[in-house]
Amino acid sequence: MPRIGIIGGSGLYSLLDSPRTVEVDTPFGRVELSMGSLGGRSVAFLPRHGRGHRIPPFRVNYRGNLLALRKVGVERVLATNAVGGIDPKLRPGTLLVPDDFMDFTKGRAYTYYDGETEIEVGGRVIRGVVHVSMTPSSYCPELRRALVEAGRRAGVDVVDGGVYVCTEGNRFETAAEIRALRILGGDVVGMTGCPEAALARELAMCYATVAVVTNYAAGVAGAAKLTHDEVKEIFSRRMDDVRSILEGAVSLIPEERGCACKDALEGAVVSG
Ligand code: HPA
């Protein structure tokens, strides 16, 4: 059973050696993922937008995806996201491993614990109200360390830390929105990191991500029109480095979890 899962954003469709497709049923629908190996370990891989990038950010089945990974044995999730740089120092092409996030999405399914659906986490069935904590670390510190260290070993510059802001999309932000997000403390902006990170915490899974800065966020370096073509172009240019980081991180992740993510449900369940 793979204990590590990877959720790939745009452009990362084939990552594993000897992949085989597996379908997993969840209360949120059937999810297709592939299982294979990477860095000498068994890994499950899931392209977030489906094959051929057909699913827009607000329609991604975040709950189904993470639960499917959990069901095949995954405890740790590494993700990738394309982002715009809010901080002008974060130029297109920069790789960044965020250490916190802000969720400015508007209409997604934010929780597993809706008071009705039965969710099984590590042998425990929960059907009530749960409030997980996002402190002391919004992202798993052990996985973050593995990603940053993998970058260092591969000779790839990786910015260690930063605040990821998630917007609803589908449109890119206005320049005024980006000015506001900068005042609020955002460093990069994307459309797919939330509620994914929080849902992982709700399943007591470790989660961290490598954000690829594909463009300056709206209005940051002038008033140029943003296009998905440039997002795709820069993302694919950094893909080899992202692959090396993911592969390196997979082999650096400690066998046993030493972080607090596995205890996320302790003291969080209001009613089972
Ligand atoms: N905004 C939101 N999402 C993005 C961006 C952006 O500028 N670039 C890549 N994904």
Side-chain angles (χ1 to χ4, degrees):
M1 293 259 270
R3 295 170 73 183
I4 299 172
I6 295 178
I7 299 179
S10 337
L12 198 71
Y13 298 116
S14 53
L15 181 72
L16 306 183
D17 299 323
S18 327
R20 66 189 167 90
T21 302
V22 178
E23 288 187 344
V24 185
D25 284 316
T26 78
F28 311 101
R30 180 168 292 183
V31 175
E32 191 181 295
L33 46 84
S34 54
M35 303 225 272
S37 63
L38 186 72
R41 286 169 96 162
S42 163
V43 170
F45 175 74
L46 209 154
R48 189 186 284 115
H49 298 279
R51 305 223 167 249
H53 203 125
R54 291 186 179 278
I55 309 169
F58 67 92
R59 286 192 48 213
V60 168
N61 184 5
Y62 297 99
R63 289 190 299 183
N65 287 352
L66 284 159
L67 194 56
L69 288 171
R70 185 64 148 130
K71 279 188 150 195
V72 300
V74 169
E75 295 172 332
R76 289 146 156 161
V77 179
L78 300 171
T80 67
N81 300 94
V83 294
I86 297 176
D87 177 342
K89 289 197 293 295
L90 301 173
R91 291 203 250 145
T94 305
L95 304 184
L96 179 142
V97 176
D99 62 355
D100 211 341
F101 67 81
M102 293 195 271
D103 187 354
F104 284 92
T105 61
K106 297 171 186 169
R108 302 185 181 188
Y110 295 102
T111 183
Y112 286 106
Y113 306 109
D114 57 8
E116 286 174 15
T117 316
E118 283 192 348
I119 302 294
E120 192 194 320
V121 185
R124 178 177 184 186
V125 177
I126 304 173
R127 197 189 169 194
V129 177
V130 173
H131 301 301
V132 290
S133 171
M134 298 310 291
T135 50
S137 316
S138 301
Y139 293 99
C140 171
E142 220 167 64
L143 292 191
R144 289 192 62 257
R145 210 173 307 129
L147 289 168
V148 171
E149 176 61 16
R152 199 188 62 76
R153 292 190 188 190
V156 177
D157 284 338
V158 175
V159 178
D160 181 0
V163 175
Y164 175 101
V165 180
C166 197
T167 57
E168 183 68 12
N170 274 338
R171 66 168 172 83
F172 289 115
E173 300 69 38
T174 65
E177 285 168 340
I178 293 299
R179 283 196 302 276
L181 293 173
R182 182 156 164 75
I183 292 166
L184 292 176
D187 295 304
V188 293
V189 59
M191 300 178 196
T192 51
C194 299
E196 200 169 81
L199 289 170
R201 182 68 48 90
E202 282 200 343
L203 295 180
M205 295 163 98
C206 300
Y207 180 96
T209 190
V210 188
V212 182
V213 180
T214 53
N215 54 282
Y216 288 112
V220 168
K225 177 178 169 182
L226 296 182
T227 66
H228 186 65
D229 286 350
E230 70 185 289
V231 170
K232 246 181 13 196
E233 141 86 14
I234 301 287
F235 204 88
S236 61
R237 251 198 256 161
R238 297 314 316 266
M239 216 24 49
D240 285 349
D241 285 337
V242 170
R243 278 168 201 267
S244 325
I245 289 175
L246 290 172
E247 187 167 346
V250 163
S251 52
L252 285 169
I253 292 170
E255 197 60 46
E256 294 304 322
R257 295 203 278 176
C259 50
C261 309
K262 62 181 180 313
D263 307 320
L265 294 178
E266 276 174 26
V269 181
V270 179
S271 56

